[in-house]
Amino acid sequence: EAAVTQSPRSKVAVTGGKVTLSCHQTNNHDYMYWYRQDTGHGLRLIHYSYVADSTEKGDIPDGYKASRPSQENFSLILELASLSQTAVYFCASSGTGGAGNTLYFGEGSRLIVV
Amino acid sequence: GDSVTQKEGLVTLTEGLPVMLNCTYQTIYSNAFLFWYVHYLNESPRLLLKSSTDNKRTEHQGFHATLHKSSSSFHLQKSSAQLSDSALYYCALSEANTNKVVFGTGTRLQVLP
């Protein structure tokens, strides 16, 4: 079974502070993704990566940075957290081999910015 | 760019009645994949079923969907809803060239006794 783990699972951050969400996968997958989940917006893609040391912008990258130091690890960084970034964040991984690859999601990280 | 539309935000029905959750999409790629993911409360979203073949019915765990490229639709159906089907359902589209996956806004299915 695919394994994607996220940390922290829950965090309260202050406005203007720095937040790092971490994701680790043991699936040997090349692709990793960061999504945020908001009621009424569903899952929206922030950043993704298909190889270590390289990241790509998703649909809503503003205010977020990403880092992929190794195949297994993918971090999402909020340099200056804002109230609008309060959401649940999901990391996912998938293999190569075409567009039909299944996404395997982590448990989610609930971020509250105050 | 590609997009997925799920018009119903909430579908409420009584146990035993049929389920139909609507999904339409827009893409320039003729070989895109369509997916349904299910997200149960306090769990991770997971794949329910997927397809890239036109007019072929795909089934899993009692649910089924048929990709219709002529109408750009991939509706999710089940003949008889169960209480345990209550969850958030996402339709998604995978871009052929980038492996980028775009999700719809989700439909919450609430099954009542």
Side-chain angles (χ1 to χ4, degrees):
Chain A
E1 182 69 26
V4 179
T5 54
Q6 296 180 225
S7 63
R9 295 291 310 280
S10 179
K11 183 175 180 65
V12 178
V14 295
T15 303
K18 182 177 180 178
V19 176
T20 299
L21 303 179
S22 300
C23 180
H24 179 79
Q25 55 106 351
T26 58
N27 307 322
N28 198 32
H29 284 164
D30 286 330
Y31 283 81
M32 295 187 75
Y33 309 79
W34 276 106
Y35 288 89
R36 66 175 279 173
Q37 182 184 53
D38 302 274
T39 302
H41 292 282
L43 289 165
R44 292 182 290 174
L45 182 63
I46 307 170
H47 286 287
Y48 66 105
S49 168
Y50 55 85
V51 68
D53 296 321
S54 178
T55 63
E56 304 293 327
K57 292 182 179 179
D59 297 318
I60 54 164
D62 293 345
Y64 302 93
K65 291 184 180 179
S67 173
R68 182 93 183 268
S70 64
Q71 187 194 40
E72 297 82 13
N73 295 293
F74 191 37
S75 296
L76 185 68
I77 303 152
L78 291 66
E79 296 278 4
L80 296 171
S82 67
L83 296 175
S84 65
Q85 293 176 313
T86 292
V88 179
Y89 293 84
F90 284 96
C91 177
S93 74
S94 73
T96 51
N101 286 310
T102 300
L103 290 182
Y104 293 90
F105 285 88
E107 318 96 317
S109 296
R110 182 176 298 276
L111 175 65
I112 299 173
V113 182
V114 298
Chain B
D2 295 352
S3 65
V4 176
T5 300
Q6 295 180 253
K7 288 188 176 178
E8 309 109 344
L10 173 65
V11 171
T12 301
L13 47 78
T14 303
E15 186 178 19
L17 291 180
V19 178
M20 181 164 176
L21 306 184
N22 291 308
C23 173
T24 57
Y25 64 92
Q26 286 188 313
T27 180
I28 62 173
Y29 298 105
S30 60
N31 59 342
F33 267 83
L34 272 294
F35 305 79
W36 277 100
Y37 283 83
V38 59
H39 188 190
Y40 295 102
L41 190 63
N42 296 324
E43 295 184 13
S44 305
R46 63 174 185 258
L47 179 71
L48 182 58
L49 46 80
K50 65 181 180 182
S51 179
S52 66
T53 305
D54 197 13
N55 298 316
K56 181 180 178 181
R57 175 172 162 144
T58 300
E59 299 189 35
H60 187 62
Q61 295 184 329
F63 287 90
H64 63 91
T66 302
L67 178 60
H68 292 294
K69 293 186 179 181
S70 60
S71 58
S72 298
S73 67
F74 191 56
H75 306 319
L76 183 67
Q77 299 182 68
K78 188 177 185 184
S79 59
S80 176
Q82 298 177 298
L83 295 175
S84 58
D85 293 330
S86 294
L88 184 57
Y89 291 81
Y90 288 107
C91 185
L93 168 72
S94 182
E95 295 183 0
N97 291 352
T98 66
N99 263 34
K100 177 182 167 184
V101 183
V102 176
F103 285 80
T105 51
T107 297
R108 182 166 297 282
L109 177 64
Q110 186 177 49
V111 181
L112 304 176

